[in-house]
């Protein structure tokens, strides 16, 4: 693969779990300590929830390796089971497959096994992955198993891991007794940006590489934005990006590589909705942006003529008066394109327009938008801008009057001198007006 191309000892972002790549954030380290303490104290229930790929399995594997051979473990990964099938699956995991016995005999067999392990100085741990899929009857069966103990010692612990919906399932009124037996319930959150950057650097360092040499500085922040700090998604995106670089004979990952990889992967926030026709876009329900800080600055011949706030999504652009942004230009279709906001990510889509569109002077049918990206519709450039709320100010009325005049900009003129955007001209989040057509 790309190891030789980047002079790496191994693949740093392989999805297969490898203990040498473990990177512990503060919350992961706390979770390891909490789970370890709970199992050492033989707690009846331990509950860990978090999004897919957040690191729940990594935490459990780390804990069980630390605890050593005094713990006998069964792990269930298929959880769409009836209560009888659950007992049968446990017997199979413990090396006693027998599917013909009735429930009473299944329970007796398990109880005998638990007591035998206790007499041998061992503690039984049952790990149930994807526990949000368990039925109420199966959860009640697990609770009853946790009640098997001696006069002075609990002899079995049950660890439930699952997606956030597991919390909702466990909070149901009929599971009060199970909740009371769970001293540890911990929710794992996605990594923040700083942790994502350190995560990528850590894994590359273990593989013998240097993130600063392989990734352009701005790509790491983009990786965090696209993956929302989920380790499994970070691995997928980085691994595919390194492969793409090898194919393109490119030795550094840049934003263009990242964008292309995301389109190839067709991630969920593209597939949450089907491609819209013009009629579909008209009837699609509006989604309110919680940030409310996206704006579009419209330039004609390099002159700022309008600024529009984008708060409702999908945000439709076209020649028709019913659009959110109306552009009067012969090359612009009645409904030309739309901007949608999906999970905090802004996506531009062409609505089967007649003349298509450009993003940063490149033809695109669909594109992820970053602050400063320039969309071209016919003879009009539209800059997508995410304001910094703590410093951003609205354009003043006087500035609007000055910049809306139809006088052409002479060569060498500075279009920014008449516009107060509430930030300095060297602010990297502001669009570079020199990139606009007519000023280049």
């Amino acid at each position: 693969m790309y190891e030789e191309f980047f002079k790496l000892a191994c693949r740093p972002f392989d999805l297969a779990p490898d203990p040498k790549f473990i990177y512990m954030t503060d919350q992961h380290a706390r979770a390891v300590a909490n789970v370890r303490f709970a199992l050492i104290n033989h707690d009846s229930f331990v509950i860990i929830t978090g999004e897919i790929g957040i690191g729940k399995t990594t935490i459990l594997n780390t804990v069980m390796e630390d605890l050593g051979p005094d713990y006998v473990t069964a792990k269930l990964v298929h959880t769409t089971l009836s209560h009888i099938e659950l007992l049968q699956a446990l017997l199979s995991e413990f090396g006693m497959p027998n599917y013909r016995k009735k429930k009473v005999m299944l329970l007796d067999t398990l109880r005998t096994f638990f007591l035998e392990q206790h007499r041998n100085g061992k503690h039984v741990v049952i790990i149930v992955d994807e526990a949000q899929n368990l039925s109420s009857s199966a959860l009640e069966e697990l609770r009853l198993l946790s009640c098997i103990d001696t006069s002075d010692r609990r002899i079995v612990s049950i660890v439930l891991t699952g997606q956030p919906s597991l919390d909702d399932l466990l909070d149901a009124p009929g599971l009060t007794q199970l909740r009371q037996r769970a001293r540890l319930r911990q929710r794992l959150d996605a990594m923040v940006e700083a942790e994502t950057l350190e995560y990528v650097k850590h894994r590359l360092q273990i593989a013998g590489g240097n993130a600063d040499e392989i990734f352009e500085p701005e790509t790491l922040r983009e990786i965090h934005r696209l993956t929302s700090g989920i380790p499994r998604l970070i691995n997928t995106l980085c691994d595919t990006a390194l492969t793409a670089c090898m194919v393109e004979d490119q030795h550094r990952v840049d934003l263009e590589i990242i964008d292309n990889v995301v389109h190839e992967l067709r991630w969920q926030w593209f597939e949450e909705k089907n491609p819209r026709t013009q009629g579909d876009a008209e009837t699609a329900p509006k989604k309110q942006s919680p940030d409310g800080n996206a704006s579009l600055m419209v330039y004609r011949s390099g002159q700022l003529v309008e600024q529009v706030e984008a708060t409702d999504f999908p945000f439709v652009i076209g020649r028709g008066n019913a659009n959110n942004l109306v552009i009067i230009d012969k090359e612009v279709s009645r409904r030309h394109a739309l901007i949608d906001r999906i999970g905090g990510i802004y996506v531009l889509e062409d609505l089967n327009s007649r003349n298509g569109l450009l993003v940063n002077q490149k033809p695109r049918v669909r594109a992820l938008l970053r602050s400063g990206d320039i969309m071209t519709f016919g003879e009009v450039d539209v800059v997508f801008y995410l304001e910094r709320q703590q410093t951003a100010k609205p354009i003043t009325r006087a500035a609007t009057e000055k910049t809306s005049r139809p006088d052409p900009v002479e060569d060498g003129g500075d279009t920014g001198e008449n516009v107060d955007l509430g930030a300095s001209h060297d602010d990297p989040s502001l669009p570079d007006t020199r990139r606009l057509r007519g000023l280049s």
Side-chain angles (χ1 to χ4, degrees):
M1 293 292 289
Y2 55 74
E3 299 95 301
E4 183 177 350
F5 183 79
F6 286 104
K7 297 181 174 57
L8 300 173
C10 57
R11 289 175 63 188
F13 302 105
D14 194 347
L15 292 180
D18 189 336
K20 71 172 177 284
F21 285 111
I22 289 177
Y23 173 77
M24 288 292 178
T25 65
D26 289 342
Q27 67 162 346
H28 284 80
R30 286 194 301 271
V32 168
N34 290 339
V35 174
R36 186 175 185 275
F37 179 81
L39 294 182
I40 288 176
N41 285 277
H42 296 183
D43 283 6
S44 297
F45 275 94
V46 174
I47 300 167
I48 305 291
T49 59
E51 295 292 347
I52 298 172
I54 203 69
K56 302 183 292 293
T57 302
T58 299
I59 287 172
L60 290 178
N61 290 343
T62 302
V63 171
M64 299 314 297
E65 287 179 6
D66 290 343
L67 292 177
D70 291 336
Y71 290 77
V72 178
T73 305
K75 185 174 183 180
L76 299 183
V77 294
H78 299 291
T79 51
T80 54
L81 304 172
S82 68
H83 62 290
I84 295 294
E85 292 170 335
L86 177 70
L87 298 176
Q88 293 171 336
L90 281 175
L91 285 171
S92 179
E93 284 293 311
F94 287 125
M96 300 175 291
N98 194 328
Y99 306 123
R100 296 183 180 179
K101 295 180 179 178
K102 295 186 179 296
K103 180 177 178 180
V104 173
M105 298 185 68
L106 295 174
L107 288 172
D108 284 343
T109 304
L110 284 171
R111 183 180 295 107
T112 300
F113 176 78
F114 295 163
L115 291 171
E116 181 181 354
Q117 298 304 314
H118 176 67
R119 286 192 295 269
N120 293 334
K122 299 181 182 296
H123 185 67
V124 174
V125 178
I126 299 172
I127 299 174
V128 183
D129 200 8
E130 299 297 329
Q132 75 277 354
N133 297 325
L134 289 171
S135 64
S136 297
S137 59
L139 282 170
E140 178 63 12
E141 209 64 59
L142 288 172
R143 184 191 70 81
L144 294 174
L145 287 177
S146 73
C147 296
I148 300 175
D149 53 24
T150 62
S151 58
D152 62 344
R153 194 71 166 170
R154 290 182 292 272
I155 63 176
V156 59
S157 296
I158 299 173
V159 181
L160 302 179
T161 70
Q163 298 173 37
S165 57
L166 174 59
D167 283 327
D168 298 330
L169 176 63
L170 295 175
D171 288 335
L175 295 174
T176 303
Q177 295 184 67
L178 188 154
R179 290 195 302 273
Q180 291 176 350
R181 298 179 71 87
R183 184 166 60 175
L184 174 62
R185 289 182 67 175
Q186 185 157 348
R187 170 76 72 89
L188 295 177
D189 297 318
M191 294 188 291
V192 298
E193 183 179 289
E195 291 171 336
T196 297
L197 270 59
E198 289 302 317
Y199 175 85
V200 173
K201 292 177 180 178
H202 169 80
R203 294 188 72 104
L204 276 170
Q205 184 178 18
I206 296 299
N210 187 323
D212 294 332
E213 296 176 356
I214 296 176
F215 287 87
E216 295 284 353
E218 65 271 18
T219 57
L220 294 181
R221 290 184 174 83
E222 182 71 356
I223 287 168
H224 172 75
R225 185 176 76 90
L226 294 171
T227 62
S228 299
I230 303 295
R232 188 180 300 168
L233 295 181
I234 295 171
N235 289 350
T236 299
L237 182 54
C238 290
D239 189 72
T240 311
L242 292 179
T243 303
C245 280
M246 179 190 67
V247 172
E248 298 291 335
D249 195 26
Q250 180 174 321
H251 286 273
R252 295 196 80 184
V253 179
D254 58 19
L255 290 175
E256 184 173 1
I257 286 287
I258 294 297
D259 276 359
N260 291 338
V261 165
V262 168
H263 288 298
E264 291 172 3
L265 291 173
R266 294 185 58 81
W267 273 358
Q268 181 63 34
W269 33 265
F270 280 134
E271 294 179 344
E272 285 177 347
K273 54 187 177 53
N274 295 323
R276 293 188 179 97
T277 62
Q278 294 181 4
D280 294 333
E282 292 178 2
T283 59
K286 298 288 184 181
K287 297 192 286 292
Q288 189 76 19
S289 168
D291 300 325
N293 61 347
S295 62
L296 302 175
M297 295 185 289
V298 183
Y299 290 82
R300 190 182 292 274
S301 300
Q303 187 83 356
L304 177 64
V305 296
E306 184 179 6
Q307 180 172 356
V308 179
E309 299 296 323
T311 56
D312 293 329
F313 296 93
F315 184 96
V316 185
I317 302 170
R319 195 175 68 246
N321 291 330
N323 295 313
N324 300 94
L325 174 60
V326 178
I327 298 178
I328 305 302
D329 189 287
K330 63 182 180 180
E331 296 185 17
V332 176
S333 299
R334 186 179 67 86
R335 299 181 66 82
H336 199 104
L338 65 80
I339 299 173
D340 209 349
R341 187 182 190 279
I342 305 172
I345 296 170
Y346 294 88
V347 184
L348 174 70
E349 290 190 11
D350 192 324
L351 291 175
N352 298 319
S353 64
R354 183 176 57 189
N355 295 312
L357 56 87
L358 303 176
V359 178
N360 299 328
Q361 300 303 309
K362 295 183 179 180
R364 301 298 291 267
V365 175
R366 181 186 294 111
L368 306 180
L369 291 179
R370 292 180 295 272
S371 188
D373 281 349
I374 301 171
M375 302 167 282
T376 300
F377 302 87
E379 295 298 319
V380 174
D381 293 307
V382 178
V383 180
F384 177 77
Y385 177 45
L386 290 176
E387 297 179 21
R388 296 178 178 177
Q389 292 184 347
Q390 66 271 25
T391 59
K393 298 177 183 177
I395 294 179
T396 63
R397 179 177 179 181
T400 304
E401 293 172 352
K402 291 179 182 179
T403 56
S404 60
R405 292 178 303 181
D407 300 334
V409 177
E410 297 179 1
D411 291 342
D414 184 0
T415 60
E417 64 184 4
N418 292 327
V419 183
D420 175 16
L421 288 175
S424 63
H425 292 292
D426 58 357
D427 186 340
S429 68
L430 287 172
D432 184 356
T433 55
R434 290 171 297 180
R435 295 164 57 201
L436 298 171
R437 296 177 304 106
L439 291 179
S440 57

